[in-house]
Amino acid sequence: MGDLVVAARDQAFVGRVAERAVFRSALAGDSHAPSVLYLHGPGGIGKSALLRRFALEALEAARLVVEVDGRTVAATPEDFEHAAGKAIGEPNAVLLVDTFELCHSLEHWLWEQFLPRLPLGTVVVVAGRAAPDPRWVADPGWADLLRVVRLRDLAREDAAAFLRVRGVPAGMHHALLSFTSGNPLALSLAVAVAVQRDTDGARGTAEWSPGQAEWSPGQDVIATLLPHLVGHAPSAAHRTALEVCAQADVTSEGLLRAMTGEDAAELFAWLRTQPFIESTASGLFPHDVVREVLAADLRWRDPEGFAALRRRMYHHLLARVREVPAAQVLQAMNSLVYLDRSLGHLADTLVWDPEDAVREMPCTPDDESRVVDLVHLTEGAESAAIARFWLNRQPEAFRVYRSNRTGEITAFSTLLRLSGPEGEDVDPVVAAAWSHARAGSPIRAGEHMAVARFMVDAQAYQRPSASLNLVTWRVTAEIIRADRLAWLFVVMRDDGFWNAHLAPGDMLPTDARPVVGDHGYRLFAHDWRTRSAMAWVAEKHEALQEGVAAVTPAVTAPQERSDHVVLSRPEFDTAVRDALRALWWPGELAANPLNRSRLVVEHDQNLHDVLLHAVETLLGERGGETRHQVLTTTYSKTAPTQEAAARRLGMSFSTYRRHLTAAVQHIRDVLWSHELSGTAVLPVGRDLSAEQ
């Protein structure tokens, strides 16, 4: 039976290539190899599994293996030497010491008295949660003999290999890897639950279903992981410090002071000694799986306390955004947004991928040609000329975003600050912003308006990306920190994507739709003189916590609408165009005025189905097959821009635009005819939703 256990463990072992190479070089007697390998890392990181692997390799090399486990050996020199004594009298023995944190009081004796007595050729591996005393690492006597290695989570490819070895269905891999972050213990527990669920068809102990974005562990899994990953918190204050650290992106002593009071210095010092805590220049943060487990445990044990802690943290971090020096604004915004990163519209528009990380920098004269090239590539020559105009007038308004991997400029943004008419004769977008402000509530003396004029990413353009995260945070910080800000305008390509995403932030689309070159743009506006920005941000946080987007319109069934609207033909045509752009964005489609037209109100259909039926009528027209393909490609989720749609279809842009214009006009005519006659638009063929 023992042989079967060893074989199964051996088959399931993955990764740790570098550590195994060091151990093998020591077994081979390599002159550059260490005699003592000290492994440290948090509970559940795989120290014991690696020691078992070392034992197998040592036995295969015909070496005597002596194993000592701190869980079963009393922490006295006599007991330790009794357990490890065979290594003293046996040349070329391999001594493996596990769970050394329970024998930590023996550290001085181990280095000064026990290890020096071992014969040359002995290989020693010590594994524990805590790193060795820095004095031994710095001791020149041990410099050539000791190698200290901090064990970390398994690399994603190694963790995926473990899932394959354990027979986990491929459809479950993403969810399990996302939760465990490669932590071996968490991975093993999650796999055990997932395999059991797949075997017996029951839900088991995990709240998970195929296709779900994140794996949510059951409370028995949490209860098993907590003591192994975190251990025992000495007091309630220490427990609170852990829970704060689990919520924050990074934890500083200042944040702890705001959350726990005058014990912050002691708690911070304790946190930084924990093996599952990492340090950065900004503060401390836990391993990903520890963060998830601590948060899940508090949310389950004390949901009211969980909400109260997050609320206090949010208000503290919000105040920091307003108070920190300008150079620290983005870092403060990152900490603020991090609390809500997985909620509501933020989950759809934020990208938290270190592989795509970028850094924001001021735009220098040497960067300007790259900025103009990016505009020319994505928006055309007319927009590039406008960008050059603003570079000459407000160079400080431009920010560039450099890849952390390559150093190349991958994106840029422009946040104009305007206190008087400027650029209206050059930039139709800024002219539209001034026109809207004058018609609504004109700017008074001492006030200014901000225009987020350009947001361009070389790859994603204006879709969610790492650079767009920073642009959004910069604009939000302008709202929070600015004095005498009147209007804020955000400019986006008029393709409907951002209508629903900006609405929860009270950035509502204006009627103005300026055109520059071949592209139309939409202005989203808000007058910030009507209320405190700090109160507004806090309210949005509360709305996210409650799962309610404050201004997102509800989808109302047609039969529940009390009356219908009468649109002029130009208004109707505009509404049809907007509806096509919002076809696969339910929140925005629900706000379209066509929902209250005769087409919808007087028939048992919703606007989405009416549009699909109208699109299908293209197939009965001469040349309709091509126009149908152009229309469905343009207004699907897979073509972020019209240029991208044209490329997918293999058409020149001019040919594509000609077919698209004809297709949209056909849809307008069909729907207008039914609006006037009061007849329903009926299905004529295929189910377009299935194709999408």
Side-chain angles (χ1 to χ4, degrees):
M1 193 173 294
D3 292 341
L4 293 177
V5 171
V6 170
R9 286 174 173 168
D10 183 52
Q11 183 183 14
F13 188 90
V14 296
R16 308 304 187 200
V17 174
E19 293 83 0
R20 292 168 63 189
V22 172
F23 181 73
R24 287 170 177 169
S25 67
L27 281 182
D30 189 328
S31 60
H32 298 293
S35 296
V36 180
L37 179 60
Y38 194 108
L39 307 172
H40 68 98
I45 203 66
K47 299 182 294 294
S48 297
L50 184 54
L51 287 186
R52 286 195 295 265
R53 184 71 180 193
F54 286 168
L56 282 177
E57 296 190 8
L59 290 172
E60 290 173 357
R63 305 284 285 266
L64 171 68
V65 176
V66 180
E67 298 180 82
V68 179
D69 192 330
R71 290 170 294 189
T72 59
V73 174
T76 67
E78 296 78 16
D79 286 292
F80 189 96
E81 188 161 334
H82 177 74
K86 289 183 180 179
I88 295 177
E90 179 73 26
N92 297 322
V94 173
L95 174 61
L96 305 175
V97 182
D98 198 5
T99 327
F100 186 65
E101 68 271 11
L102 298 182
C103 300
H104 196 261
S105 60
L106 299 179
E107 185 171 20
H108 180 82
W109 171 81
L110 183 77
W111 293 108
E112 289 289 356
Q113 298 187 40
F114 182 80
L115 292 180
R117 293 158 52 200
L118 295 174
L120 286 175
T122 303
V123 178
V124 180
V125 183
V126 180
R129 294 193 178 192
D133 190 311
R135 289 176 295 176
W136 310 123
V137 179
D139 185 342
W142 286 101
D144 295 332
L145 301 175
L146 172 65
R147 180 81 57 84
V148 178
V149 175
R150 178 171 186 170
L151 281 188
R152 300 185 180 275
D153 293 332
L154 292 172
R156 191 173 182 89
E157 56 270 22
D158 292 331
F162 178 77
L163 296 180
R164 290 193 295 271
V165 168
R166 293 296 307 277
V168 177
M172 296 184 181
H173 285 197
H174 177 73
L176 296 179
L177 293 174
S178 296
F179 168 72
T180 63
S181 299
N183 179 275
L185 176 61
L187 196 62
S188 296
L189 287 173
V191 164
V193 171
V195 169
Q196 180 182 5
R197 181 189 184 280
D198 186 61
T199 301
D200 59 21
R203 290 190 63 84
T205 56
E207 298 167 5
W208 187 86
S209 58
Q212 189 168 309
E214 296 183 1
W215 184 79
S216 178
Q219 286 309 312
D220 56 344
V221 175
I222 295 294
T224 302
L225 285 173
L226 265 177
H228 286 88
L229 299 180
V230 179
H232 175 69
S235 70
H238 289 80
R239 184 75 182 186
T240 299
L242 282 172
E243 290 163 351
V244 169
C245 197
Q247 301 298 317
D249 66 327
V250 291
T251 299
S252 65
E253 191 172 310
L255 176 60
L256 276 184
R257 186 175 300 110
M259 298 297 106
T260 64
E262 294 307 314
D263 293 334
E266 175 190 344
L267 296 173
F268 188 83
W270 174 78
L271 275 177
R272 72 192 305 181
T273 65
Q274 301 308 299
F276 51 83
I277 295 292
E278 302 268 5
S279 298
T280 70
S282 305
L284 308 175
F285 67 94
H287 289 186
D288 289 345
V289 71
V290 173
R291 185 191 294 280
E292 295 293 334
V293 167
L294 282 168
D297 181 62
L298 177 60
R299 189 186 295 112
W300 172 73
R301 283 189 297 107
D302 184 6
E304 293 80 10
F306 176 80
L309 177 65
R310 289 175 65 87
R311 186 176 298 110
R312 289 168 54 214
M313 289 178 65
Y314 193 87
H315 283 278
H316 170 77
L317 295 171
L318 176 58
R320 282 193 71 245
V321 172
R322 188 164 179 84
E323 296 164 2
V324 297
Q328 300 176 21
V329 164
L330 287 186
Q331 179 184 324
M333 279 300 306
N334 177 81
S335 297
L336 183 69
V337 176
Y338 189 85
L339 280 177
D340 293 338
R341 66 195 183 282
S342 61
L343 303 178
H345 64 285
L346 294 181
D348 298 326
T349 57
L350 291 177
V351 174
W352 299 87
D353 186 354
E355 295 298 320
D356 293 331
V358 294
R359 62 187 184 277
E360 183 194 83
M361 303 181 72
C363 180
T364 68
D366 291 340
D367 300 331
E368 291 182 2
S369 60
R370 173 59 173 165
V371 166
V372 174
D373 286 344
L374 282 174
V375 183
H376 194 283
L377 176 67
T378 55
E379 299 188 359
E382 293 86 347
S383 278
I386 292 171
R388 174 59 70 183
F389 169 83
W390 288 117
L391 277 166
N392 294 334
R393 299 295 290 268
Q394 291 193 32
E396 71 282 358
F398 286 74
R399 303 272 176 166
V400 296
Y401 302 90
R402 292 185 178 273
S403 167
N404 285 342
R405 288 186 293 107
T406 66
E408 296 180 357
I409 295 175
T410 61
F412 84 95
S413 67
T414 309
L415 183 60
L416 301 173
R417 184 186 177 101
L418 304 171
S419 55
E422 184 179 1
E424 290 184 271
D425 56 337
V426 174
D427 189 347
V429 171
V430 169
W434 277 114
S435 176
H436 182 86
R438 293 188 188 105
S441 180
I443 293 175
R444 299 182 289 269
E447 296 177 341
H448 71 280
M449 75 179 189
V451 181
R453 177 60 184 88
F454 290 104
M455 298 183 188
V456 173
D457 185 287
Q459 296 297 322
Y461 185 49
Q462 292 179 349
R463 292 298 188 260
S465 63
S467 62
L468 192 61
N469 284 5
L470 301 187
V471 177
T472 304
W473 298 345
R474 176 65 64 184
V475 173
T476 305
E478 169 72 11
I479 298 168
I480 296 171
R481 291 167 63 90
D483 293 322
R484 309 298 301 276
L485 172 65
W487 287 95
L488 171 68
F489 293 91
V490 173
V491 182
M492 291 292 190
R493 181 73 63 82
D494 190 14
D495 58 10
F497 179 85
W498 286 101
N499 294 37
H501 292 305
L502 288 173
D506 293 346
M507 293 299 300
L508 302 179
T510 69
D511 293 333
R513 290 177 168 175
V515 175
V516 178
D518 293 329
H519 304 295
Y521 297 87
R522 192 72 177 263
L523 276 69
F524 299 83
H526 189 89
D527 187 344
W528 291 101
R529 293 167 293 187
T530 59
R531 63 183 311 187
S532 161
M534 298 285 279
W536 171 83
V537 174
E539 177 188 296
K540 297 305 169 188
H541 169 71
E542 292 298 327
L544 284 171
Q545 298 305 306
E546 296 169 4
V548 178
V551 295
T552 301
V555 179
T556 307
Q559 60 269 27
E560 294 175 347
R561 303 201 183 265
S562 58
D563 56 359
H564 63 265
V565 297
V566 177
L567 301 173
S568 67
R569 180 63 195 264
E571 291 171 336
F572 187 90
D573 286 350
T574 298
V576 171
R577 183 190 64 179
D578 290 347
L580 288 171
R581 289 171 173 170
L583 187 58
W584 304 105
W585 307 101
E588 185 183 353
L589 190 62
N592 191 285
L594 290 179
N595 282 290
R596 299 179 63 196
S597 67
R598 295 176 73 186
L599 287 167
V600 175
V601 173
E602 296 183 0
H603 305 284
D604 190 20
Q605 299 183 86
N606 58 50
L607 178 55
H608 183 269
D609 289 340
V610 168
L611 291 169
L612 294 182
H613 300 334
V615 169
E616 289 301 280
T617 64
L618 281 165
L619 297 173
E621 300 292 313
R622 183 177 180 181
E625 187 74 34
T626 299
R627 294 174 184 175
H628 180 274
Q629 188 178 17
V630 168
L631 193 76
T632 54
T633 300
T634 300
Y635 297 124
S636 72
K637 289 185 178 182
T638 58
T641 65
Q642 290 189 358
E643 291 87 344
R647 286 194 298 270
R648 286 192 63 197
L649 293 165
M651 296 180 178
S652 69
F653 192 67
S654 59
T655 301
Y656 159 84
R657 286 296 300 271
R658 176 165 51 81
H659 285 301
L660 178 62
T661 299
V664 171
Q665 188 57 51
H666 171 84
I667 302 304
R668 287 169 169 169
D669 291 341
V670 167
L671 293 178
W672 181 247
S673 173
H674 285 278
E675 175 73 359
L676 293 179
S677 65
T679 57
V681 184
L682 300 176
V684 295
R686 295 177 297 173
D687 181 4
L688 184 61
S689 62
E691 296 177 20
Q692 294 297 329

